Amino acid sequence: MKDTAGSQLFELMAGFWKTQAVYLATESGIVDAIAAAGRAPTIDLSIETRTDADALGRLLLFLESLGVVDGDEASGWALTEVGELLRTDTRDSMRDHVRIYGSHFYPAWGALSHSLRTGRSAFAHVYGSDLFSYLHQNPEVSLTYERAMVAGTPFFAEVSGAYDFSGARRIVDVAGGHGALLNEILNANQGPHAVLFDAPHVIEETRDRPIATDHADRCERVAGNFFESVPSDGDVYLLSRILHCFDDEACHRILTNCRRAMAPGGRLVILERVLTRGTGSSLTQGYNMHMLVVLGGGRERDETQYRTLLDKAGFTVESLHGLPLETHLMIAAPS
């Protein structure tokens, strides 16, 4: 029993080994080099990526133990199904997700003690500004962040199956980023028109995204501040992974602005992780900590907390639907 507990503790303590190994395999071009070759020996990969052959060999052995690559020194190395997700050239790549977690979020978690002492963002402590201000000041990081947010959303394709948008007249995606969710919804539903609403620098980044190029005749892109107002007269308002970024007071402002702007009979469609216990998974609990470390005021909430939050803003939860990666779709109507 002690050996089992000790091994488990070692695995927990070695978490940062795995984070940086996967991040460097992605960032240094090792994954793409393997993908281009199909299967390649260490020495060839070392030359291609300008890395030390012995060090790279050790990294590949570690990645093999993590299920990222498969092979050995004799047969060469190939990508596993997990490794394929790290490629640059695939549609479902999670490369940017790995990049933002292994670079900018990693030092923030190294300052977890700041959040624990103060209840405030360790990211802001490390980088000198809150996350969204930092992204505004660093366009390259902002693009990586937006792509990372999309990479972590395989459930987008299932949203139209969980809620019927076919009868919607005007869908407003509040803080919709680069429009990936809205693009999926418009692809699946030919009737509705839409508004993609986000901060000015984010809307500027969408000019060559599918939501702008494929749906220019059906989607208006509008810049603004959701704490001040949101576009009016929508009969469906989307909030995808927005509320968990803020404390209850800030969420109340966003929700009341949506309530005020909503057309009669409208609906609010919310995508969030919902805190539960006893599921055997730490993903949502981990994100609850991540919101503290990166955003300070952000948090994941349980179903009761969401119902209370929505009730205070004039909404009633009608239904809750489970989606992949412990995400839930909440449908709320004006009270």
Side-chain angles (χ1 to χ4, degrees):
M1 184 66 71
K2 286 185 178 180
D3 285 347
T4 302
S7 296
Q8 183 179 354
L9 182 58
F10 271 117
E11 285 291 328
L12 293 173
M13 292 290 83
F16 70 97
W17 299 354
K18 302 171 186 179
T19 300
Q20 285 300 301
V22 174
Y23 167 64
L24 263 299
T26 305
E27 190 70 2
S28 62
I30 296 165
V31 166
D32 283 341
I34 296 173
R39 183 176 289 274
T42 301
I43 188 62
D44 289 358
L45 294 172
S46 172
I47 294 169
E48 178 67 23
T49 59
R50 298 182 179 181
T51 53
D52 179 80
D54 178 68
L56 178 57
R58 298 189 200 191
L59 177 59
L60 289 165
L61 284 170
F62 186 39
L63 293 171
E64 190 267 340
S65 74
L66 300 178
V68 176
V69 301
D70 183 44
D72 52 41
E73 293 292 347
S75 64
W77 302 100
L79 297 176
T80 64
E81 188 176 354
V82 172
E84 290 284 337
L85 292 175
L86 304 176
R87 293 174 57 169
T88 303
D89 60 349
T90 56
R91 184 179 182 276
D92 59 350
S93 173
M94 295 185 70
R95 175 176 181 267
D96 288 298
H97 204 76
V98 170
R99 291 182 70 199
I100 201 77
Y101 274 73
S103 58
H104 289 80
F105 290 164
Y106 191 79
W109 270 84
L112 174 60
S113 60
H114 174 80
S115 292
L116 192 60
R117 288 195 313 271
T118 67
R120 297 177 181 174
S121 166
F123 184 97
H125 177 68
V126 171
Y127 291 99
S129 65
D130 68 83
L131 174 65
F132 297 119
S133 297
Y134 183 87
L135 294 175
H136 180 54
Q137 296 157 8
N138 296 272
E140 271 192 41
V141 181
S142 178
L143 285 169
T144 300
Y145 175 81
E146 286 296 335
R147 290 194 296 260
M149 295 305 99
V150 173
T153 54
F155 50 84
F156 275 4
E158 300 191 25
V159 170
S160 287
Y163 182 83
D164 184 6
F165 292 92
S166 62
R169 173 182 53 84
R170 178 176 163 91
I171 302 169
V172 180
D173 192 354
V174 178
H178 288 171
L181 173 58
L182 201 52
N183 185 61
E184 291 275 2
I185 292 170
L186 293 181
N187 284 341
N189 299 273
Q190 299 307 308
H193 284 67
V195 178
L196 178 65
F197 180 72
D198 213 311
H201 75 279
V202 177
I203 293 298
E204 175 62 23
E205 292 167 1
T206 66
R207 62 188 181 278
D208 59 352
R209 293 292 186 269
I211 194 64
T213 58
D214 298 351
H215 298 292
D217 59 333
R218 297 174 59 205
C219 184
E220 181 184 4
R221 295 176 296 128
V222 176
N225 182 341
F226 54 38
F227 289 124
E228 297 173 359
S229 65
V230 300
S232 62
D233 196 35
D235 50 354
V236 177
Y237 282 77
L238 297 175
L239 286 170
S240 176
R241 300 166 306 153
I242 302 304
L243 298 179
H244 77 159
C245 294
F246 302 102
D247 61 23
D248 287 0
E249 181 182 349
C251 287
H252 183 75
R253 290 163 62 189
I254 298 168
L255 290 168
T256 52
N257 283 339
C258 290
R259 177 70 180 83
R260 190 178 298 119
M262 184 176 289
R267 290 295 185 271
L268 185 65
V269 176
I270 298 170
L271 284 169
E272 291 286 358
R273 288 186 170 90
V274 176
L275 275 175
T276 55
R277 297 184 64 185
T279 63
S281 169
S282 63
L283 183 61
T284 303
Q285 300 293 349
Y287 268 107
N288 195 27
M289 285 297 300
H290 188 62
M291 292 300 104
L292 168 65
V293 169
V294 175
L295 293 167
R299 66 187 313 122
E300 306 295 347
R301 296 173 173 87
D302 62 27
E303 184 178 346
T304 299
Q305 289 171 317
Y306 273 117
R307 287 182 181 274
T308 301
L309 198 63
L310 287 158
D311 179 66
K312 288 180 179 178
F315 289 99
T316 299
V317 175
E318 290 186 326
S319 58
L320 190 67
H321 306 269
L323 295 174
L325 293 179
E326 300 182 21
T327 302
H328 287 76
L329 184 145
M330 252 176 290
I331 302 168
S335 302

